[in-house]
Structures are given as structure tokens and as C-alpha cells.
Amino acid sequence: MIAFLLGLALVFGGLGIGAQFAESSTGPQAVVSYTVRPGDSVWTYAALITPAGEDVNANVDRIMKINNLSTPNLQAGDRLLVPSDQG
């Protein structure tokens, strides 16, 4: 599982355009902007920032909130903000 997540991090790491900041109810937080690729899901990005053994669902909800998504469905080409921290 760790190797899988590390692989995803390496694949998606080059897609970000640097840390940015997004406002949320918990205050500003550092985010990375990704361009969604075919087959990607909110779960894909949430798994990148979820420490091993922790619940990915919490980060799915977090990403959906930051991006004002009402559904976890993504379209290739969409821009998605993902927290760059793990808290």
C-alpha cells in the first residue's frame, strides 16, 4: 500500500503548479493544484495525502469541501485543489 501511494505521489507530484492557498471554514491552508487526468477520482487525490492506516474518506470530504464539489465525480481536464499538508 505504501509503495502504491508513493507511486501515486511521484506520478501526480509533477502535475502541481506549486503551493497556493485556499480559504475554508478552518482558515487558509496550503494547496496544490492538479489537472485531473482520465480515470482519476477524488479518492485518488485523497489517498495521496492520507497517512498509512488512516481513513481516506476524511480527506475525500476535505477535498470536496475545498473545491465546492457536490459529487466526487471528476472530468478529465478539471482543476482540483488538494491540501499539501496532512492535517
Side-chain angles (χ1 to χ4, degrees):
M1 182 68 170
I2 293 173
F4 172 74
L5 292 176
L6 182 58
L8 282 177
L10 291 173
V11 168
F12 294 113
L15 299 177
I17 58 172
Q20 301 173 8
F21 288 91
E23 290 287 332
S24 71
S25 60
T26 58
Q29 56 187 303
V31 295
V32 177
S33 176
Y34 291 100
T35 300
V36 175
R37 298 170 70 181
D40 288 353
S41 66
V42 174
W43 182 274
T44 303
Y45 295 99
L48 289 173
I49 62 169
T50 303
E54 292 191 17
D55 185 14
V56 176
N57 288 314
N59 280 321
V60 167
D61 293 340
R62 188 174 174 206
I63 290 169
M64 289 184 62
K65 184 179 243 181
I66 289 170
N67 290 279
N68 296 316
L69 298 174
S70 58
T71 175
N73 300 327
L74 302 175
Q75 298 291 320
D78 285 350
R79 298 296 286 175
L80 190 69
L81 298 177
V82 177
S84 64
D85 64 316
Q86 296 183 2

